Amino acid sequence: MRSVLLAAVAATLAFSLPAKAEDVTVAVTAIVEHPALDAARKGVLDVLTAAGYKEGENLKFVFQSAQGNPATAAQIARQFAGDGPNVIVPISTPSAQAVVSSTRDIPVVFTAVSDPLGAQLVKNMDKPGGNVTGLSDMSPVAEHVALIKEILPNAKTIGYLYNSGEANSVSLLAVLKVEAEKAGLKVVESAATKSAEVQGAARALVGRADAIYIPTDNTIISALEGAVAVAEEAKLPLFTADTDSVSRGSVAALGFNYYDVGKQTGEIVVRILKGENPGDIPVKVAAGSDLVINKGAAAKMGVTLPESVLKRATKTID
């Protein structure tokens, strides 16, 4: 009992003592590299820099990508736990799950995680407790469905392209089914468990769906060009939840600016570096919503964008 008490006291002290600026280390990992996750990482670093933690001077900013491999994500998490940085920032659900499973004493600030409760990262969003807090990027799925219906009023079926092994995508599928039913739409699924399977999974939706919808799924987004090629060939409009993917060929996306998501995450990291206990910081849902459209992609997929959508767009790609 005495040893347990001492361990608890030690953990509390570890969270409460502010890190010295000259030896601050922030370790960041992501399941894969793609524009949205890269933008989130840059947002974290820029906020740290603005707060006086400058890389190469008083900040060691370490980054490792798991290259889409969950086993590698677990290996990186164990390495970071052994290295003992001041804060670990896992970007994406698979990386967050790996890190949270690897340490109970190093502060963890996850980001770009759709469903922290479903992924079992925390038990309570308002009072996460322990060593974990972070930022959720839960997609506004109802608004995504409404956008697809607005652009494609005659659509009857949405094809959901996802990695069935990624917890956030499974959670979003359940939400999509509810919202699609409200809008009179059916959902058909096609899964790819690795990037090499994405193009084939997209092809499996041809003839079965009136549109393809890709959630904030790291596996699919990392190989988005394969899905876009299928969509263009089949004249099958492709929509994404990730706004950074619109410039890569999707028709439209309504979602977060992931650089801003990273900045919001960085603000939490700074609070912890200054002495706050992560378990006392509520898990936040990312703020902000951008509508990005791609006129060129729409034309290639046989879509005419309504004037109402063109007027609302916060960014238009020709």
Side-chain angles (χ1 to χ4, degrees), residues 25 38 76 112 120 254 294 307:
T25 299
D38 296 345
I76 292 169
Q120 300 183 332
L254 181 68
N294 187 326
E307 192 63 29

Side-chain angles (χ1 to χ4, degrees), residues 26-93:
V26 175
V28 182
T29 182
I31 189 62
V32 72
E33 292 177 79
H34 63 65
L37 302 190
D38 296 345
R41 182 172 81 248
K42 187 177 188 306
V44 172
L45 179 58
D46 285 356
V47 167
L48 287 168
T49 301
Y53 300 98
K54 298 182 179 179
E55 193 173 13
E57 294 182 17
N58 54 11
L59 168 67
K60 185 178 180 182
F61 192 80
V62 182
F63 172 70
Q64 288 195 41
S65 167
Q67 302 297 325
N69 190 325
T72 303
Q75 182 180 357
I76 292 169
R78 289 192 296 269
Q79 178 189 328
F80 282 176
D83 292 343
N86 297 91
V87 181
I88 302 176
V89 182
I91 305 175
S92 75
T93 300

Side-chain angles (χ1 to χ4, degrees), residues 211-262:
I212 295 176
Y213 171 69
I214 296 175
T216 50
D217 184 299
N218 299 293
T219 300
I220 309 302
I221 292 173
S222 69
L224 182 67
E225 285 73 16
V228 169
V230 171
E232 290 178 354
E233 180 182 355
K235 302 295 183 187
L236 181 59
L238 184 150
F239 298 86
T240 51
D242 163 37
T243 55
D244 287 304
S245 295
V246 179
S247 63
R248 297 167 64 196
S250 76
V251 171
L254 181 68
F256 305 108
N257 178 314
Y258 274 84
Y259 176 71
D260 289 340
V261 169

Side-chain angles (χ1 to χ4, degrees), residues 89-148:
V89 182
I91 305 175
S92 75
T93 300
S95 290
Q97 290 173 316
V99 170
V100 169
S101 296
S102 297
T103 179
R104 296 187 184 279
D105 51 12
I106 300 171
V108 176
V109 182
F110 59 78
T111 191
V113 171
S114 296
D115 186 2
L117 295 174
Q120 300 183 332
L121 300 177
V122 295
K123 293 182 179 179
N124 188 302
M125 296 279 279
D126 294 325
K127 297 178 180 179
N131 64 317
V132 181
T133 188
L135 200 79
S136 166
D137 64 344
M138 174 58 78
S139 296
V141 178
E143 294 177 52
H144 292 171
V145 172
L147 178 64
I148 293 172

